[in-house]
Amino acid sequence: DSSPLKVAVTGAAGQIGYSLLFRLASGALGDRPIELRLLEIEPALKALEGVVMELDDCAFPTLAGVEIGHEADKIFDGVNLALLVGARPRTKGMERGDLLEANGAIFTAQGKALNSVAADDVRIGVTGNPANTNALIAMTNAPDIPKERFSALTRLDHNRAISQLAAKTGASVTDIKKMTIWGNHSATQYPDLFHAEVNGKNAAETVNDQDWLENDFIPTVAKRGAAIIEARGSSSAASAASATIDAARDWLHGSAADDWVSMAVVSDGSYGVPEGLIYSFPVITKNGDWEIVQGLEIDDFSRSRMEATANELIEERDAVKELGLI
Ligand code: NAX
């Protein structure tokens, strides 16, 4: 297909947007021309105009057009891919309920708009936090879009876990396969080394250090976002954009043979995860679809971590249900 792929990005004037848009426009999703549809809140449109000037100035051969605006039903019209990055960050004094409510307003509206105007083949990736629950809200508010078309980003956690394991074992990142992030994109996520491989050998056995795995690896991956804020003074942006691209590219074009990726998708009850939760699983992607990897053996340690992160997602789901958002 040589018609442009229409890609919506929300929060396009933000930090992640500033990295993401240039990667999308320069062909990170393939050679097919791209039309960018950029959604922002009205006060940010002027800044976004500046970003569009810079996109123009790159003269990217794959960039077929850019449209900006603050109305979701115009920007999402006919989009094939929607990357929902914009969200309301937690500010000082804000309670969790306030955060869920503020984001609930955004993701109910965007879910409804996608439901009415997106292309039939639309795929929707949610990066904005709380990503899993925002995806659940958008999905629930878009009843005509198949539930499988929604996912939340845990690819950054996945990539962080690969990088940490590579550093520990002295392997290169390309030697590491079958990494899995289970659950929520939050501090309760469970990065799993029991099914990962380093040069074809089981990663947990290769490392052979349960203390490192439990008390170093897992917390380092789960708290990496906070460590970056501490060091950089602002949250991860280029790496989040890069992971958003990795996730979208693999979703559309397929994951590598002999490997899998982590994506938070609607649970079908696999591995005992309650049906309907947006939970990160190991998945194989092909032709724009994903399938949860089945048949992995789960030991007691993994089981308890997988349940803890599921329980947090259940709490978030119940909170947004109570607020009438789903
Ligand atoms: P910024 O605050 O720099 O940008 C967010 C942008 O969203 C702002 O320009 C804002 O005007 C816009 N926005 C707010 N409400 C909007 C709406 N209703 N429609 C359209 N745009 C809207 O944040 P940034 O650093 O870019 O991060 C964006 C989101 O990604 C945050 O929620 C952040 O927590 C989340 N992250 C998720 C990660 C993940 O792995 N899933 C990792 C990185 C990042 O922390």
Side-chain angles (χ1 to χ4, degrees):
D1 195 345
S2 62
S3 68
L5 183 76
K6 294 192 172 93
V7 182
V9 177
T10 72
Q15 289 203 87
I16 295 176
Y18 195 65
S19 183
L20 179 61
L21 302 182
F22 295 85
R23 299 276 307 273
L24 289 169
S26 63
L29 295 183
D31 295 337
R32 185 172 165 189
I34 276 221
E35 186 180 316
L36 288 175
R37 302 292 193 81
L38 309 180
L39 186 71
E40 259 297 350
I41 53 173
E42 247 186 310
L45 285 177
K46 181 147 187 287
L48 186 54
E49 281 171 19
V51 179
V52 174
M53 287 161 72
E54 288 203 75
L55 281 168
D56 289 343
D57 294 350
C58 293
F60 287 124
T62 36
L63 184 58
V66 186
E67 218 175 286
I68 72 170
H70 68 276
E71 289 161 302
D73 50 355
K74 289 197 181 134
I75 293 299
F76 290 161
D77 189 26
V79 297
N80 311 106
L81 176 68
L83 303 174
L84 308 185
V85 177
R88 178 74 198 278
R90 190 170 193 156
T91 43
K92 230 178 170 174
M94 212 175 180
E95 297 295 329
R96 208 172 75 115
D98 303 332
L99 183 73
L100 289 174
E101 199 162 12
N103 281 297
I106 296 173
F107 287 86
T108 48
Q110 292 182 359
K112 284 176 184 154
L114 286 165
N115 193 58
S116 49
V117 301
D120 284 345
D121 69 353
V122 70
R123 265 114 188 125
I124 298 137
V126 179
T127 297
N129 279 322
N132 298 51
T133 295
N134 287 341
L136 178 70
I137 294 169
M139 180 183 86
T140 311
N141 283 277
D144 303 326
I145 300 177
K147 288 182 163 51
E148 298 73 39
R149 303 290 190 76
F150 289 83
S151 90
L153 188 75
T154 51
R155 185 61 175 265
L156 178 55
D157 310 296
H158 177 101
N159 289 345
R160 286 166 171 168
I162 289 176
S163 156
Q164 291 298 320
L165 179 61
K168 170 75 174 171
T169 57
S172 74
V173 290
T174 50
D175 296 330
I176 292 174
K177 308 254 188 280
K178 303 187 177 172
M179 183 59 73
T180 304
I181 303 294
W182 298 96
N184 201 1
H185 167 68
S186 77
T188 67
Q189 67 176 265
Y190 172 46
D192 175 3
L193 291 190
F194 293 98
H195 302 98
E197 294 175 357
V198 183
N199 282 313
K201 296 203 184 83
N202 183 275
E205 284 167 21
T206 302
V207 168
N208 194 24
D209 185 348
Q210 180 71 16
D211 181 56
W212 176 80
L213 188 154
E214 250 179 80
N215 300 314
D216 195 333
F217 172 74
I218 294 175
T220 299
V221 172
K223 294 179 192 159
R224 186 71 162 180
I228 285 167
I229 294 175
E230 176 71 26
R232 207 174 83 87
S234 45
S235 57
S236 39
S239 54
S242 193
T244 299
I245 297 266
D246 288 347
R249 183 200 56 225
D250 287 349
W251 197 355
L252 298 181
H253 302 307
S255 48
D258 311 322
D259 202 358
W260 63 60
V261 294
S262 303
M263 268 171 92
V265 293
V266 64
S267 172
D268 61 354
S270 292
Y271 298 101
V273 175
E275 230 178 295
L277 283 187
I278 301 282
Y279 188 97
S280 182
F281 289 100
V283 302
I284 286 169
T285 56
K286 205 175 161 185
N287 300 326
D289 295 321
W290 51 263
E291 214 176 278
I292 297 171
V293 175
Q294 297 295 333
L296 302 178
E297 264 185 55
I298 307 295
D299 68 9
D300 290 345
F301 175 79
S302 293
R303 172 68 55 205
S304 74
R305 298 289 175 135
M306 288 163 65
E307 281 177 5
T309 189
N311 288 338
E312 184 184 47
L313 284 168
I314 291 169
E315 277 174 30
E316 290 184 19
R317 179 198 63 197
D318 292 349
V320 296
K321 209 177 244 174
E322 202 140 292
L323 291 165
L325 301 170
I326 62 170

